[in-house]
mmCIF file of all heavy atoms in Angstrom:
data_model
loop_
_atom_site.group_PDB
_atom_site.id
_atom_site.type_symbol
_atom_site.label_atom_id
_atom_site.label_comp_id
_atom_site.label_asym_id
_atom_site.label_seq_id
_atom_site.Cartn_x
_atom_site.Cartn_y
_atom_site.Cartn_z
ATOM 1 N N LEU X 1336 -50.093 6.950 66.253
ATOM 2 C CA LEU X 1336 -48.996 5.975 66.205
ATOM 3 C C LEU X 1336 -48.826 5.239 67.525
ATOM 4 O O LEU X 1336 -48.458 4.070 67.552
ATOM 5 C CB LEU X 1336 -47.687 6.663 65.837
ATOM 6 C CG LEU X 1336 -47.502 7.070 64.375
ATOM 7 C CD1 LEU X 1336 -46.112 7.629 64.155
ATOM 8 C CD2 LEU X 1336 -47.740 5.883 63.455
ATOM 9 N N ASP X 1337 -49.084 5.947 68.610
ATOM 10 C CA ASP X 1337 -48.907 5.305 69.918
ATOM 11 C C ASP X 1337 -49.841 4.127 70.109
ATOM 12 O O ASP X 1337 -49.595 3.265 70.952
ATOM 13 C CB ASP X 1337 -49.127 6.329 71.038
ATOM 14 C CG ASP X 1337 -47.965 7.314 71.108
ATOM 15 O OD1 ASP X 1337 -46.857 6.932 70.667
ATOM 16 O OD2 ASP X 1337 -48.179 8.450 71.570
ATOM 17 N N ASP X 1338 -50.921 4.085 69.335
ATOM 18 C CA ASP X 1338 -51.871 2.980 69.484
ATOM 19 C C ASP X 1338 -51.636 1.858 68.470
ATOM 20 O O ASP X 1338 -52.396 0.898 68.425
ATOM 21 C CB ASP X 1338 -53.316 3.503 69.319
ATOM 22 C CG ASP X 1338 -53.646 4.530 70.389
ATOM 23 O OD1 ASP X 1338 -52.957 4.521 71.439
ATOM 24 O OD2 ASP X 1338 -54.562 5.354 70.183
ATOM 25 N N TRP X 1339 -50.605 2.011 67.655
ATOM 26 C CA TRP X 1339 -50.294 0.926 66.713
ATOM 27 C C TRP X 1339 -49.660 -0.221 67.497
ATOM 28 O O TRP X 1339 -49.071 0.015 68.564
ATOM 29 C CB TRP X 1339 -49.334 1.415 65.613
ATOM 30 C CG TRP X 1339 -49.953 2.381 64.634
ATOM 31 C CD1 TRP X 1339 -51.051 3.166 64.824
ATOM 32 C CD2 TRP X 1339 -49.482 2.658 63.308
ATOM 33 N NE1 TRP X 1339 -51.306 3.918 63.707
ATOM 34 C CE2 TRP X 1339 -50.354 3.631 62.754
ATOM 35 C CE3 TRP X 1339 -48.422 2.195 62.529
ATOM 36 C CZ2 TRP X 1339 -50.195 4.133 61.463
ATOM 37 C CZ3 TRP X 1339 -48.253 2.704 61.253
ATOM 38 C CH2 TRP X 1339 -49.134 3.655 60.723
ATOM 39 N N PRO X 1340 -49.730 -1.446 66.973
ATOM 40 C CA PRO X 1340 -49.149 -2.577 67.722
ATOM 41 C C PRO X 1340 -47.665 -2.339 68.028
ATOM 42 O O PRO X 1340 -46.897 -2.017 67.123
ATOM 43 C CB PRO X 1340 -49.307 -3.761 66.761
ATOM 44 C CG PRO X 1340 -50.350 -3.342 65.782
ATOM 45 C CD PRO X 1340 -50.319 -1.864 65.701
ATOM 46 N N ARG X 1341 -47.282 -2.498 69.288
ATOM 47 C CA ARG X 1341 -45.885 -2.295 69.709
ATOM 48 C C ARG X 1341 -44.952 -3.191 68.906
ATOM 49 O O ARG X 1341 -43.829 -2.844 68.569
ATOM 50 C CB ARG X 1341 -45.697 -2.620 71.201
ATOM 51 C CG ARG X 1341 -46.585 -1.900 72.175
ATOM 52 C CD ARG X 1341 -46.499 -0.387 72.080
ATOM 53 N NE ARG X 1341 -45.143 0.124 71.936
ATOM 54 C CZ ARG X 1341 -44.841 1.199 71.228
ATOM 55 N NH1 ARG X 1341 -45.771 1.854 70.573
ATOM 56 N NH2 ARG X 1341 -43.600 1.615 71.146
ATOM 57 N N GLU X 1342 -45.463 -4.371 68.648
ATOM 58 C CA GLU X 1342 -44.718 -5.405 67.948
ATOM 59 C C GLU X 1342 -44.108 -4.881 66.634
ATOM 60 O O GLU X 1342 -42.992 -5.223 66.265
ATOM 61 C CB GLU X 1342 -45.698 -6.567 67.699
ATOM 62 C CG GLU X 1342 -45.270 -7.623 66.724
ATOM 63 C CD GLU X 1342 -44.144 -8.469 67.278
ATOM 64 O OE1 GLU X 1342 -43.847 -8.359 68.485
ATOM 65 O OE2 GLU X 1342 -43.549 -9.223 66.475
ATOM 66 N N TYR X 1343 -44.873 -4.027 65.943
ATOM 67 C CA TYR X 1343 -44.405 -3.512 64.649
ATOM 68 C C TYR X 1343 -43.146 -2.643 64.806
ATOM 69 O O TYR X 1343 -42.397 -2.458 63.864
ATOM 70 C CB TYR X 1343 -45.492 -2.671 63.973
ATOM 71 C CG TYR X 1343 -46.680 -3.447 63.448
ATOM 72 C CD1 TYR X 1343 -46.961 -4.732 63.899
ATOM 73 C CD2 TYR X 1343 -47.519 -2.887 62.484
ATOM 74 C CE1 TYR X 1343 -48.057 -5.430 63.422
ATOM 75 C CE2 TYR X 1343 -48.612 -3.579 61.995
ATOM 76 C CZ TYR X 1343 -48.887 -4.852 62.474
ATOM 77 O OH TYR X 1343 -49.968 -5.527 61.986
ATOM 78 N N PHE X 1344 -42.996 -2.075 66.008
ATOM 79 C CA PHE X 1344 -41.873 -1.155 66.227
ATOM 80 C C PHE X 1344 -40.694 -1.847 66.902
ATOM 81 O O PHE X 1344 -39.725 -1.207 67.264
ATOM 82 C CB PHE X 1344 -42.317 0.033 67.096
ATOM 83 C CG PHE X 1344 -43.397 0.882 66.468
ATOM 84 C CD1 PHE X 1344 -44.738 0.665 66.748
ATOM 85 C CD2 PHE X 1344 -43.063 1.892 65.585
ATOM 86 C CE1 PHE X 1344 -45.735 1.435 66.168
ATOM 87 C CE2 PHE X 1344 -44.054 2.675 65.006
ATOM 88 C CZ PHE X 1344 -45.387 2.452 65.292
ATOM 89 N N ARG X 1345 -40.844 -3.170 67.132
ATOM 90 C CA ARG X 1345 -39.793 -3.857 67.882
ATOM 91 C C ARG X 1345 -38.521 -3.983 67.059
ATOM 92 O O ARG X 1345 -38.544 -4.394 65.898
ATOM 93 C CB ARG X 1345 -40.275 -5.236 68.323
ATOM 94 C CG ARG X 1345 -39.594 -5.672 69.624
ATOM 95 C CD ARG X 1345 -40.033 -7.047 70.051
ATOM 96 N NE ARG X 1345 -39.429 -8.049 69.183
ATOM 97 C CZ ARG X 1345 -40.087 -9.087 68.705
ATOM 98 N NH1 ARG X 1345 -41.361 -9.266 68.990
ATOM 99 N NH2 ARG X 1345 -39.469 -9.961 67.926
ATOM 100 N N ILE X 1346 -37.413 -3.592 67.676
ATOM 101 C CA ILE X 1346 -36.133 -3.688 66.979
ATOM 102 C C ILE X 1346 -35.209 -4.599 67.778
ATOM 103 O O ILE X 1346 -34.995 -4.382 68.977
ATOM 104 C CB ILE X 1346 -35.527 -2.281 66.795
ATOM 105 C CG1 ILE X 1346 -36.400 -1.506 65.790
ATOM 106 C CG2 ILE X 1346 -34.095 -2.368 66.296
ATOM 107 C CD1 ILE X 1346 -36.143 -0.045 65.743
ATOM 108 N N GLU X 1347 -34.736 -5.640 67.115
ATOM 109 C CA GLU X 1347 -33.895 -6.636 67.789
ATOM 110 C C GLU X 1347 -32.425 -6.278 67.624
ATOM 111 O O GLU X 1347 -32.037 -5.675 66.629
ATOM 112 C CB GLU X 1347 -34.088 -8.012 67.131
ATOM 113 C CG GLU X 1347 -35.519 -8.467 66.991
ATOM 114 C CD GLU X 1347 -36.012 -9.166 68.244
ATOM 115 O OE1 GLU X 1347 -35.257 -9.215 69.227
ATOM 116 O OE2 GLU X 1347 -37.179 -9.642 68.226
ATOM 117 N N ASP X 1348 -31.618 -6.713 68.574
ATOM 118 C CA ASP X 1348 -30.170 -6.555 68.417
ATOM 119 C C ASP X 1348 -29.593 -7.597 67.456
ATOM 120 O O ASP X 1348 -28.657 -7.335 66.722
ATOM 121 C CB ASP X 1348 -29.462 -6.680 69.766
ATOM 122 C CG ASP X 1348 -29.499 -5.369 70.542
ATOM 123 O OD1 ASP X 1348 -29.910 -4.351 69.946
ATOM 124 O OD2 ASP X 1348 -29.114 -5.366 71.723
ATOM 125 N N ASN X 1349 -30.158 -8.804 67.517
ATOM 126 C CA ASN X 1349 -29.669 -9.896 66.661
ATOM 127 C C ASN X 1349 -28.160 -10.104 66.758
ATOM 128 O O ASN X 1349 -27.466 -10.176 65.747
ATOM 129 C CB ASN X 1349 -30.042 -9.656 65.195
ATOM 130 C CG ASN X 1349 -31.520 -9.884 64.944
ATOM 131 O OD1 ASN X 1349 -32.161 -10.650 65.667
ATOM 132 N ND2 ASN X 1349 -32.061 -9.211 63.940
ATOM 133 N N ILE X 1350 -27.667 -10.176 67.999
ATOM 134 C CA ILE X 1350 -26.239 -10.441 68.166
ATOM 135 C C ILE X 1350 -26.005 -11.929 67.977
ATOM 136 O O ILE X 1350 -26.606 -12.752 68.679
ATOM 137 C CB ILE X 1350 -25.753 -9.982 69.552
ATOM 138 C CG1 ILE X 1350 -25.834 -8.459 69.635
ATOM 139 C CG2 ILE X 1350 -24.321 -10.472 69.815
ATOM 140 C CD1 ILE X 1350 -25.537 -7.891 70.994
ATOM 141 N N ARG X 1351 -25.177 -12.304 67.020
ATOM 142 C CA ARG X 1351 -24.999 -13.716 66.657
ATOM 143 C C ARG X 1351 -23.647 -14.270 67.083
ATOM 144 O O ARG X 1351 -23.474 -15.472 67.207
ATOM 145 C CB ARG X 1351 -25.121 -13.897 65.147
ATOM 146 C CG ARG X 1351 -26.348 -13.279 64.531
ATOM 147 C CD ARG X 1351 -27.592 -14.065 64.876
ATOM 148 N NE ARG X 1351 -28.739 -13.556 64.112
ATOM 149 C CZ ARG X 1351 -29.953 -14.042 64.199
ATOM 150 N NH1 ARG X 1351 -30.201 -15.028 65.029
ATOM 151 N NH2 ARG X 1351 -30.931 -13.526 63.489
ATOM 152 N N ARG X 1352 -22.664 -13.411 67.190
ATOM 153 C CA ARG X 1352 -21.348 -13.912 67.589
ATOM 154 C C ARG X 1352 -20.694 -12.866 68.478
ATOM 155 O O ARG X 1352 -20.588 -11.705 68.094
ATOM 156 C CB ARG X 1352 -20.468 -14.161 66.358
ATOM 157 C CG ARG X 1352 -19.121 -14.778 66.728
ATOM 158 C CD ARG X 1352 -18.223 -14.984 65.526
ATOM 159 N NE ARG X 1352 -17.134 -15.918 65.820
ATOM 160 C CZ ARG X 1352 -16.025 -15.583 66.474
ATOM 161 N NH1 ARG X 1352 -15.842 -14.342 66.906
ATOM 162 N NH2 ARG X 1352 -15.082 -16.494 66.708
ATOM 163 N N ARG X 1353 -20.297 -13.307 69.670
ATOM 164 C CA ARG X 1353 -19.654 -12.382 70.592
ATOM 165 C C ARG X 1353 -18.161 -12.660 70.642
ATOM 166 O O ARG X 1353 -17.740 -13.799 70.591
ATOM 167 C CB ARG X 1353 -20.242 -12.535 71.997
ATOM 168 C CG ARG X 1353 -21.669 -12.090 72.085
ATOM 169 C CD ARG X 1353 -22.242 -12.380 73.464
ATOM 170 N NE ARG X 1353 -23.690 -12.250 73.425
ATOM 171 C CZ ARG X 1353 -24.331 -11.104 73.686
ATOM 172 N NH1 ARG X 1353 -23.653 -10.029 74.051
ATOM 173 N NH2 ARG X 1353 -25.632 -11.040 73.603
ATOM 174 N N ASP X 1354 -17.401 -11.577 70.759
ATOM 175 C CA ASP X 1354 -15.965 -11.722 70.959
ATOM 176 C C ASP X 1354 -15.534 -10.585 71.878
ATOM 177 O O ASP X 1354 -16.350 -10.103 72.667
ATOM 178 C CB ASP X 1354 -15.241 -11.709 69.590
ATOM 179 C CG ASP X 1354 -13.936 -12.509 69.657
ATOM 180 O OD1 ASP X 1354 -13.103 -12.184 70.519
ATOM 181 O OD2 ASP X 1354 -13.770 -13.447 68.858
ATOM 182 N N ALA X 1355 -14.324 -10.136 71.745
ATOM 183 C CA ALA X 1355 -13.767 -9.181 72.705
ATOM 184 C C ALA X 1355 -14.696 -8.015 73.026
ATOM 185 O O ALA X 1355 -14.838 -7.628 74.180
ATOM 186 C CB ALA X 1355 -12.435 -8.664 72.185
ATOM 187 N N LEU X 1356 -15.334 -7.462 72.003
ATOM 188 C CA LEU X 1356 -16.156 -6.281 72.258
ATOM 189 C C LEU X 1356 -17.500 -6.654 72.869
ATOM 190 O O LEU X 1356 -17.882 -6.149 73.923
ATOM 191 C CB LEU X 1356 -16.365 -5.497 70.960
ATOM 192 C CG LEU X 1356 -17.299 -4.294 71.062
ATOM 193 C CD1 LEU X 1356 -16.815 -3.308 72.118
ATOM 194 C CD2 LEU X 1356 -17.414 -3.583 69.728
ATOM 195 N N LEU X 1357 -18.201 -7.559 72.226
ATOM 196 C CA LEU X 1357 -19.569 -7.832 72.661
ATOM 197 C C LEU X 1357 -19.625 -8.691 73.923
ATOM 198 O O LEU X 1357 -20.687 -8.859 74.514
ATOM 199 C CB LEU X 1357 -20.363 -8.476 71.520
ATOM 200 C CG LEU X 1357 -20.496 -7.604 70.262
ATOM 201 C CD1 LEU X 1357 -21.355 -8.295 69.225
ATOM 202 C CD2 LEU X 1357 -21.072 -6.230 70.589
ATOM 203 N N ASN X 1358 -18.474 -9.218 74.344
ATOM 204 C CA ASN X 1358 -18.447 -9.984 75.588
ATOM 205 C C ASN X 1358 -18.395 -9.112 76.827
ATOM 206 O O ASN X 1358 -18.594 -9.592 77.936
ATOM 207 C CB ASN X 1358 -17.250 -10.938 75.606
ATOM 208 C CG ASN X 1358 -17.622 -12.276 74.979
ATOM 209 O OD1 ASN X 1358 -18.772 -12.695 75.067
ATOM 210 N ND2 ASN X 1358 -16.664 -12.908 74.332
ATOM 211 N N THR X 1359 -18.092 -7.837 76.658
ATOM 212 C CA THR X 1359 -17.949 -6.998 77.852
ATOM 213 C C THR X 1359 -19.301 -6.724 78.467
ATOM 214 O O THR X 1359 -20.292 -6.517 77.762
ATOM 215 C CB THR X 1359 -17.320 -5.633 77.518
ATOM 216 O OG1 THR X 1359 -18.083 -5.044 76.480
ATOM 217 C CG2 THR X 1359 -15.885 -5.768 77.100
ATOM 218 N N CYS X 1360 -19.345 -6.738 79.803
ATOM 219 C CA CYS X 1360 -20.567 -6.321 80.485
ATOM 220 C C CYS X 1360 -20.157 -5.643 81.781
ATOM 221 O O CYS X 1360 -20.462 -6.106 82.863
ATOM 222 C CB CYS X 1360 -21.510 -7.496 80.711
ATOM 223 S SG CYS X 1360 -20.691 -8.924 81.445
ATOM 224 N N TRP X 1361 -19.374 -4.567 81.616
ATOM 225 C CA TRP X 1361 -18.882 -3.853 82.794
ATOM 226 C C TRP X 1361 -19.913 -2.877 83.297
ATOM 227 O O TRP X 1361 -20.767 -2.412 82.539
ATOM 228 C CB TRP X 1361 -17.625 -3.056 82.407
ATOM 229 C CG TRP X 1361 -16.503 -3.915 81.963
ATOM 230 C CD1 TRP X 1361 -16.172 -5.151 82.440
ATOM 231 C CD2 TRP X 1361 -15.564 -3.594 80.934
ATOM 232 N NE1 TRP X 1361 -15.061 -5.623 81.786
ATOM 233 C CE2 TRP X 1361 -14.665 -4.684 80.870
ATOM 234 C CE3 TRP X 1361 -15.365 -2.507 80.110
ATOM 235 C CZ2 TRP X 1361 -13.595 -4.703 79.977
ATOM 236 C CZ3 TRP X 1361 -14.315 -2.511 79.234
ATOM 237 C CH2 TRP X 1361 -13.433 -3.610 79.151
#
Side-chain angles (χ1 to χ4, degrees):
Chain X
L1336 285 185
D1337 288 335
D1338 299 339
W1339 290 22
R1341 305 303 317 146
E1342 166 70 11
Y1343 289 19
F1344 298 95
R1345 209 182 73 223
I1346 291 166
E1347 308 274 4
D1348 278 351
N1349 287 334
I1350 293 173
R1351 309 287 188 180
R1352 184 182 197 280
R1353 293 175 194 269
D1354 208 304
L1356 175 57
L1357 299 183
N1358 271 329
T1359 54
C1360 49
W1361 297 325

